[in-house]
Amino acid sequence: QLGPRERAAMASRILHRLRHALAGEGSREERARGGCEAEDFPESSELEDDTEGLSTRLSGTLSFTSHEEEDEDEDGAGEEPGEPPQPTGAAAGAEDGGRCWGRCAGGPGQSRSPGQQHPGGDPSGEWGPAAERPGSSLLTRQLQELWRKSRGSLAPQRLLFEVTSASVVSERSSKYVLYTIYLIRSGRFDKAPAAIARRYSDFERLNRRLRCRFGCDMAGIAFPRKRLRRNFTAETIAKRSRAFEQFLSHLHSIAEIRRSPEFLEFFFLQDLQAAQRLTCTGMYREALATWANAYRLQDRLGVCSSGRFLLTLAGLAVCHQELDELGEAHGCCEQALQLLEAQGSHPLLGPFLQAHVHLAWKVGKDKRRSEARLQDLQEAGPPLQQQPTLKECLIKEPLE
């Protein structure tokens, strides 16, 4: 039987190993010497080493022409083969005490869920035979408590960016690579992923706008250079894909950039514009899918109380109603009215109330509260007949 000092020493050693495992360090204990900042996004080494694996991951989705060395159009970009982007310095660890974002603790899209077993312990709290040995109950209880605390503090939910496919697109006189990026929340399973498709010029425009506004924060973030030849080889596309994953992860790790309109609209503004055009032309089924993807993107990015999100709910409600999916349309109106609960006036409040009352009557739901709010709004503002419908607001809203 162990004495008090021996039990304390053993608990200290096990806790030390547990913390290393939770932080994704495992057997790579050399990180302790350089700190997390040095390993958050080790572009100089990891980018080159990861190229083969990323090429394999994209091999089923890459498409090529027979002229791989053809000069690229104005979107041509990327680092020279064998030249990874410049190290980013401490910018990658600027948020949350330098905790690693992106894929620093695992492979592509690999992240431990809160219930997944980690090296050094069982999340259920059963620590194997040691829990049954005499004199070890105190040690077990201590470790269980430390496990619960450590799991909440060292394994936060993160947003990962993963290039899932890259295809060469030829349009008349131009040719470029289109990258499909998934936004993945670590530790959770997304039934319907949020995805964007962007070309190099989109990334370059984002980089330019952010450097104009956040010069100091962007100083340590590398961006792949333009080049003229060999833009369509598997190696080059894989390196660019990895570079864009790191670039977005670096940006998201900085709070000021993560909340900026420039960064946010890079992800969902194109979808909103496309969904609005499809709605205006009566292509409601196609518009519904685009509105839904914009909804998921804003949800992943944590901007579910903005004006853009209310417009997205309006688009979903209109398309569901036009497709005779009245229950879904009613749910979208209810969600919007909950967000507008604390606002006395909003351009979309009246249209949402009108739509909610109409849909509640159709599906047999309670509409008395919306009717009362609509009556109060009408007494304080223009007559009900002069207020635009939800569809009219949606079509007339400028999206630039």
Side-chain angles (χ1 to χ4, degrees):
Q1 181 173 347
L2 299 177
R5 291 186 179 180
E6 289 81 0
R7 288 200 299 269
M10 180 182 295
S12 177
R13 288 194 299 271
I14 296 178
L15 177 59
H16 178 73
R17 290 195 293 269
L18 177 62
R19 285 176 174 169
H20 278 248
L22 286 172
E25 293 179 7
S27 61
R28 298 171 59 183
E29 295 182 356
E30 64 272 10
R31 289 183 181 178
R33 295 192 296 269
C36 186
E37 293 82 3
E39 287 292 330
D40 273 347
F41 300 98
E43 295 174 319
S44 299
S45 59
E46 187 177 355
L47 181 57
E48 184 172 355
D49 296 339
D50 189 53
T51 300
E52 182 178 354
L54 191 58
S55 298
T56 303
R57 176 158 60 88
L58 297 178
S59 60
T61 53
L62 295 179
S63 59
F64 302 97
T65 64
S66 59
H67 304 288
E68 289 185 344
E69 296 193 15
E70 180 180 346
D71 290 352
E72 191 166 357
D73 68 340
E74 67 276 4
D75 285 354
E79 65 282 0
E80 293 291 336
E83 292 184 9
Q86 303 169 6
T88 63
E95 179 86 351
D96 294 330
R99 280 197 291 266
C100 300
W101 295 76
R103 299 184 301 167
C104 57
Q110 295 174 352
S111 56
R112 294 191 179 96
S113 61
Q116 185 175 346
Q117 182 173 348
H118 291 258
D122 185 342
S124 65
E126 299 298 330
W127 288 74
E132 302 174 0
R133 289 198 298 267
S136 63
S137 58
L138 176 61
L139 177 61
T140 301
R141 287 198 300 270
Q142 290 173 336
L143 291 177
Q144 288 173 347
E145 182 64 24
L146 290 171
W147 169 268
R148 285 192 290 269
K149 292 180 180 179
S150 299
R151 186 170 61 178
S153 61
L154 296 180
Q157 187 180 111
R158 299 170 299 174
L159 188 63
L160 311 178
F161 303 90
E162 181 174 314
V163 176
T164 59
S165 66
S167 57
V168 179
V169 180
S170 296
E171 291 181 350
R172 297 177 184 176
S173 60
S174 66
K175 189 168 73 169
Y176 57 89
V177 180
L178 191 65
Y179 301 89
T180 299
I181 303 104
Y182 274 25
L183 279 68
I184 303 169
R185 288 180 293 202
S186 65
R188 295 184 60 179
F189 174 73
D190 292 323
K191 295 181 181 179
I196 60 173
R198 297 290 183 268
R199 54 198 288 183
Y200 177 81
S201 60
D202 298 318
F203 284 98
E204 186 182 40
R205 189 179 305 111
L206 172 66
N207 179 61
R208 186 169 59 250
R209 294 179 67 189
L210 291 177
R211 289 188 187 279
C212 288
R213 183 176 174 186
F214 305 100
C216 294
D217 291 324
M218 294 291 295
I221 298 180
F223 187 78
R225 299 187 299 269
K226 281 190 175 183
R227 56 193 306 272
L228 297 177
R229 302 183 66 82
R230 297 187 61 81
N231 290 293
F232 305 111
T233 64
E235 179 185 9
T236 300
I237 293 177
K239 285 190 175 183
R240 290 177 187 166
S241 301
R242 177 64 171 144
F244 286 139
E245 288 176 347
Q246 292 183 337
F247 177 67
L248 294 177
S249 295
H250 293 181
L251 297 179
H252 190 266
S253 70
I254 303 175
E256 291 77 9
I257 294 179
R258 182 171 66 244
R259 303 186 187 111
S260 67
E262 294 86 352
F263 179 77
L264 294 172
E265 292 181 353
F266 168 80
F267 291 94
F268 56 78
L269 183 58
Q270 289 187 23
D271 272 8
L272 294 181
Q273 293 170 335
Q276 186 184 51
R277 289 193 300 268
L278 291 168
T279 305
C280 291
T281 56
M283 302 177 67
Y284 299 112
R285 182 63 65 185
E286 295 81 358
L288 181 61
T290 311
W291 287 118
N293 191 61
Y295 179 101
R296 291 190 293 269
L297 288 168
Q298 293 172 85
D299 176 56
R300 305 298 188 275
L301 294 165
V303 287
C304 292
S305 59
S306 65
R308 302 288 200 195
F309 190 71
L310 287 170
L311 186 69
T312 305
L313 289 173
L316 289 170
V318 168
C319 290
H320 278 305
Q321 185 173 4
E322 293 291 342
L323 295 169
D324 203 28
E325 300 169 350
L326 303 184
E328 290 82 354
H330 177 265
C332 292
C333 290
E334 282 203 328
Q335 185 178 358
L337 291 177
Q338 289 175 2
L339 294 174
L340 292 167
E341 183 73 32
Q343 300 192 33
S345 63
H346 189 280
L348 289 174
L349 178 57
F352 267 119
L353 286 171
Q354 291 186 66
H356 186 260
V357 169
H358 174 72
L359 290 166
W361 177 77
K362 287 276 190 180
V363 299
K365 299 289 186 179
D366 186 9
K367 56 185 173 61
R368 290 172 294 179
R369 191 166 189 277
S370 292
E371 286 178 330
R373 292 182 67 186
L374 190 59
Q375 181 65 29
D376 294 339
L377 189 65
Q378 187 175 359
E379 292 176 356
L384 187 62
Q385 295 79 6
Q386 297 181 12
Q387 292 189 10
T389 65
L390 200 59
K391 187 175 181 179
E392 290 171 343
C393 291
L394 182 68
I395 293 174
K396 295 177 180 178
E397 178 70 19
L399 288 173
E400 299 175 355

